[in-house]
Amino acid sequence: MSSSAAAAAAAAVRVALVVVFLMATMAAGGSFLEDFDVTWGDSRAKILENGQLLTLALDRTSGSGFQSKHEYLFGKIDMQIKLVPGNSAGTVTAYYLSSLGATHDEIDFEFLGNLSGEPYTLHTNVYTQGKGDREMQFRLWFDPTKDFHTYSIIWNPKHVMYFTVDGTPIRDFKNLESRGIAFPRSQPMRVYSSLWNADDWATRGGLVKTDWSKAPFVAAYRGFRAEACGGGRPCEASKSKGGWWNQELDLTSQGRMQWVQRKFMIYHYCHDAKRFPQGLPPECSIP
C-alpha cells in the first residue's frame, strides 16, 4: 500500500472511531423538538425559538410537564432553568431522572416556590429500588428567577453528584453497595420536568397557599445537554474516555460543597433522628 493510501485508510479509521464514540456516549445537546416530548398540560407547555427554548405554565386548571425521548444509564445531565418569578408560593418546579415501576430509581431536584423576596427552597432526594427518604434541602443563595442557571447531575457507577450554579456541588450520594446500601446502577432513567401546584405542603408546610391571581406561573428551560450512555447505547466508550464516568470530588470541590451545606442547607435526613425512631439510615454513619 502506498503512503498516501495508508494515510487515507488511517484517516477513515479515525473518522469511524469518532462516529462510534459519539453514538455510544450520546452527547445530546440539540433541540427540545428532538430530545423531548410534552406529556401533559396541553398548550401550557410550549417549545419555542426553533426548539431552543421550552416553557411550562401552571394555572388553576392544570400544570404541565415533559420527558426525554431517550433513557440514560449513567451520564452528565445539564439543564438551564429560569424559575417562576414573583410570588411563586405553592408551586413546585420538578426536574429529575426516573425509571418506572414500584422499585424505580430516581434522582430529584424540586424547587419549592416562595413569597416574593424570599428565597426558593431546593429539595433533593435519591430513590433506590423504590425507596427514597433521603431528602436534603437548601436555600438558594441567588435569585433563580432573574436569569437561567445550569443545574447538573453527574451519575456514574461510584457517585450521584448534584451540581448547581456554574458547577458548585451541593450533594454527593456515594455507591456504598459493599456496605449493603442500594445504589441506582441498573435501571435506565428518563429526564422529566413538571410545574405543578403543591400548596398543601410546598411552602411553609402548606401554610402559604397559591395566589391564583398571579397565574399563569411560568418556568423556562434551555441548554439541555446529556453526555450519557445506557438505554441501548453501550457505556464502553465512556469508560475508556474518562471524564464524567470517573469523576469524583477533588479537595477544592469538597470544600465548596461543605461551604454550601454549612451556610445554606436547612434539612438533612441524617440529622433527623425523630423521623427514624428505629435508627438513622445506615449510610448516615459512614463518612
Side-chain angles (χ1 to χ4, degrees), residues 17-258:
L17 288 174
V18 169
V19 171
V20 169
F21 173 73
L22 291 175
M23 291 177 64
T25 58
M26 193 184 173
S31 163
F32 283 104
L33 291 167
E34 298 171 358
D35 296 327
F36 290 93
D37 291 317
V38 172
T39 50
W40 62 288
D42 300 321
S43 60
R44 295 172 186 83
K46 294 182 172 64
I47 298 177
L48 308 167
E49 297 181 6
N50 296 317
Q52 299 306 301
L53 178 71
L54 189 152
T55 61
L56 295 180
L58 164 69
D59 58 31
R60 187 183 287 273
T61 302
S62 177
S64 50
F66 63 86
Q67 71 178 45
S68 64
K69 296 179 185 289
H70 303 288
E71 293 180 316
Y72 308 101
L73 181 64
F74 305 126
K76 182 177 185 291
I77 311 295
D78 300 328
M79 184 76 82
Q80 295 179 17
I81 308 175
K82 184 192 290 186
L83 295 175
V84 174
N87 183 0
S88 59
T91 71
V92 173
T93 305
Y95 161 57
Y96 58 103
L97 299 175
S98 184
S99 58
L100 299 176
T103 57
H104 73 290
D105 294 335
E106 188 172 326
I107 304 167
D108 284 349
F109 278 116
E110 289 187 324
F111 301 92
L112 312 185
N114 215 331
L115 296 169
S116 297
E118 298 191 15
Y120 261 80
T121 296
L122 172 54
H123 176 99
T124 69
N125 203 352
V126 178
Y127 285 76
T128 56
Q129 299 176 14
K131 178 174 171 46
D133 297 334
R134 298 185 177 98
E135 297 91 346
M136 292 173 63
Q137 292 186 342
F138 306 82
R139 296 289 195 207
L140 292 180
W141 56 97
F142 58 95
D143 187 342
T145 72
K146 295 295 185 184
D147 203 353
F148 287 89
H149 292 277
T150 301
Y151 302 92
S152 304
I153 296 169
I154 295 179
W155 171 33
N156 63 36
K158 294 182 179 180
H159 299 264
V160 174
M161 291 177 281
Y162 287 93
F163 289 76
T164 182
V165 191
D166 301 323
T168 297
I170 63 170
R171 180 175 185 176
D172 181 12
F173 183 76
K174 300 176 182 178
N175 186 338
L176 298 171
E177 287 182 302
S178 63
R179 309 287 288 271
I181 299 163
F183 185 83
R185 66 176 181 86
S186 60
Q187 299 186 52
M189 296 193 262
R190 295 184 192 273
V191 178
Y192 296 86
S193 191
S194 58
L195 174 57
W196 50 290
N197 178 48
D199 66 2
D200 57 333
W201 66 271
T203 305
R204 298 182 184 174
L207 294 178
V208 182
K209 300 300 183 182
T210 303
D211 182 356
W212 293 111
S213 71
K214 306 297 185 184
F217 304 96
V218 178
Y221 302 76
R222 72 181 188 189
F224 170 73
R225 182 171 177 81
E227 298 178 36
C229 59
R233 294 163 299 279
C235 291
E236 295 304 317
S238 301
K239 295 177 184 178
S240 61
K241 184 69 175 180
W244 59 264
W245 182 270
N246 297 313
Q247 187 168 342
E248 300 191 54
L249 294 179
D250 59 21
L251 290 177
T252 299
S253 295
Q254 290 178 34
R256 293 167 70 192
M257 182 174 70
Q258 290 166 4

